[in-house]
Amino acid sequence: MQKLRFLTSIMTALTALTLNSCTTATTEQYEATALTSYTWQVKYANDLTSQPQPRIETFANTSMLNRNGLKPPGAVVGPDDRGLWWPTLPPRPSVDEVEQRKRPQEEAGKPELLKDVKYKLTYGVGNTQNTLPTNYDVYRQVVKAYPQKTPLELTLGVNDNSVEKAEPVSK
C-alpha cells in the first residue's frame, strides 16, 4: 500500500512538471551574461577528517561579467575552453587571516580556490523584459545568435523560473 501511494505521488509530480514546463517565447531582444568568479574558502572543524558538516569561512573573491561572449573591459584571463573570461585571482588568505577565524578546539583546512559561473538571460517579448537564470548551453546559443540578431525560441523551465533551451528561428 505504501509503495502504491509513493508511485501515485511520483506520477502526480511528473504530470505537474510536464504541464508546467513547456512554455516557450520567441524573442529578437536578448542578452546572455555569465558571471565568472573566484572565491577563497577555508573549512574549520574540531576534526576535519570525520566531521560531516565543517564550518566554511569565505575570504577574498573576484568576479567578471561576460556579456554575449564578448571580451569584458579589463579582462586578462581567457577566453577559456568554454569561451569565458575570468577575473584576476583574489589574494590568497594568509596564515594569520586563517588563524584569526579559527575557534577554540578547531583545526583549519587549507585554503581552497573555488571557481563559479552563474548564467542569466535577459529577453524582451513585447513591452515586457525578463531576466532569468539559465545554463551554459543557452549562453552559448545566444553567443552564436547575437552578432546576427537571429530570433530565438526560448523554452522556459518549471513555473517560467528559468530558461532551459534556446533555438534559432529562421527569419
Side-chain angles (χ1 to χ4, degrees):
M1 186 68 172
Q2 197 172 15
K3 203 178 223 181
L4 181 60
R5 208 173 293 140
F6 177 72
L7 288 173
T8 304
S9 64
I10 285 187
M11 292 302 292
T12 303
L14 288 175
T15 302
L17 282 174
T18 303
L19 293 174
N20 289 332
S21 64
C22 296
T23 306
T24 60
T26 301
T27 183
E28 293 181 31
Q29 306 163 16
Y30 48 81
E31 175 183 78
T33 59
L35 183 65
T36 55
S37 62
Y38 288 120
T39 304
W40 283 106
Q41 79 172 24
V42 175
K43 293 178 183 172
Y44 295 87
N46 292 343
D47 184 353
L48 285 168
T49 56
S50 66
Q51 193 168 332
Q53 297 285 320
R55 182 171 63 84
I56 297 172
E57 286 278 340
T58 300
F59 289 82
N61 72 351
T62 54
S63 60
M64 176 162 285
L65 190 64
N66 291 252
R67 291 182 194 277
N68 303 315
L70 304 173
K71 182 179 180 179
V76 291
V77 180
D80 66 8
D81 58 352
R82 298 192 116 202
L84 299 173
W85 294 85
W86 290 85
T88 56
L89 291 177
R92 181 185 175 104
S94 69
V95 172
D96 290 339
E97 290 173 308
V98 171
E99 287 176 352
Q100 282 173 357
R101 297 199 192 177
K102 200 166 90 167
R103 295 180 184 157
Q105 315 304 314
E106 278 186 332
E107 53 186 74
K110 291 181 180 173
E112 297 176 71
L113 184 63
L114 305 179
K115 277 178 86 168
D116 186 48
V117 183
K118 288 187 174 46
Y119 298 99
K120 289 191 178 177
L121 180 67
T122 300
Y123 67 95
V125 176
N127 292 333
T128 307
Q129 194 168 37
N130 297 305
T131 300
L132 296 173
T134 192
N135 56 51
Y136 172 74
D137 293 330
V138 170
Y139 177 80
R140 287 301 301 160
Q141 192 62 57
V142 170
V143 166
K144 293 175 205 168
Y146 187 78
Q148 292 80 31
K149 303 285 190 231
T150 304
L152 294 173
E153 181 176 87
L154 308 175
T155 302
L156 305 180
V158 177
N159 296 325
D160 298 347
N161 285 332
S162 63
V163 180
E164 299 300 318
K165 194 174 182 184
E167 296 176 299
V169 176
S170 40
K171 291 184 179 181

